[in-house]
């Protein structure tokens, strides 16, 4: 299982508008889980199944958009297609979460998050392009802009 937070991606850079005010809070978080059944599964139509989860905090004007779920799903489909991650049986849910705090927690600001839970079967068991696509999705959810063609990302070094 891979687990990651956005902030360093091979295909995404950090835009000043995408940086969190508090560096300890990730812009997005997610999980990439690879399931394997040596005998194969008729439900998966293959020996492997990828299950993913991505969650990101959104700006209120974006989080309140009624099309947010469709956009989140399109990010998944686009990332898989852009990386040439051939797959079948893709399915999932996109959830918008509005959080309001009360009582002893009422000092916390209200927030809107989006979650995408999805799974698909990779064709022919090659998963490298699927992991790269997932990484791109986490960066997209975090609001990190794509790097221009021909520009390489340098590793981010944090000094304490």
């Amino acid at each position: 299982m891979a687990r990651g937070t956005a902030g360093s991606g091979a295909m995404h850079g950090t835009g000043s508008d995408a940086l969190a005010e508090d560096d300890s809070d990730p812009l997005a978080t997610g999980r990439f889980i690879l399931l394997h059944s040596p005998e194969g599964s008729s439900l998966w139509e293959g020996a492997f199944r990828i299950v993913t989860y991505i969650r990101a905090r959104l700006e209120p004007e974006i989080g309140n958009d009624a099309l947010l779920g469709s956009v989140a799903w399109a990010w998944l489909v686009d990332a898989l297609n852009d990386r040439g991650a051939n797959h079948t049986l893709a399915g999932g849910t996109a959830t918008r979460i509005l959080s309001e705090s009360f009582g002893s927690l009422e000092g916390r600001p209200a927030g809107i998050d989006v979650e995408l839970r999805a799974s698909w079967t990779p064709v022919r068991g090659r998963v490298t392009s699927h992991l790269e696509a997932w990484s791109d999705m986490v960066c997209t959810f975090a609001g990190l802009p794509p790097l221009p063609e021909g520009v390489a990302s340098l590793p981010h070094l944090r000094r304490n």
Side-chain angles (χ1 to χ4, degrees), residues 11-131:
M11 298 301 293
H12 289 77
T14 54
S16 59
D17 58 334
L19 296 176
E21 288 180 21
D22 178 2
D23 282 343
S24 66
D25 290 336
L27 299 174
T29 188
R31 293 181 180 90
F32 180 93
I33 303 164
L34 178 63
L35 303 174
H36 179 250
S37 174
E39 306 83 36
S41 168
S42 61
L43 295 174
W44 302 346
E45 294 182 9
F48 291 93
R49 186 76 175 165
I50 294 171
V51 179
T52 65
Y53 166 82
I54 301 172
R55 183 176 182 147
R57 176 68 40 113
L58 300 174
E59 298 293 326
E61 56 274 0
I62 296 171
N64 285 318
D65 190 327
L67 296 175
L68 180 61
S70 297
V71 170
W73 184 256
W75 288 340
L76 173 127
V77 171
D78 290 347
L80 291 171
N81 290 337
D82 290 348
R83 290 293 188 160
N86 296 325
H87 63 281
T88 61
L89 296 174
T93 61
T95 306
R96 190 173 9 162
I97 302 153
L98 172 62
S99 300
E100 297 179 78
S101 299
F102 300 96
S104 64
L105 300 177
E106 75 181 339
R108 292 184 180 175
I112 300 175
D113 290 11
V114 62
E115 285 184 354
L116 180 68
R117 299 168 192 266
S119 64
W120 62 89
T121 300
V123 174
R124 292 182 297 280
R126 273 191 51 83
V127 298
T128 304
S129 59
H130 297 268
L131 184 56

Side-chain angles (χ1 to χ4, degrees), residues 144-156:
L144 300 176
L147 287 175
E149 182 117 3
V151 174
S153 176
L154 297 174
H156 176 71

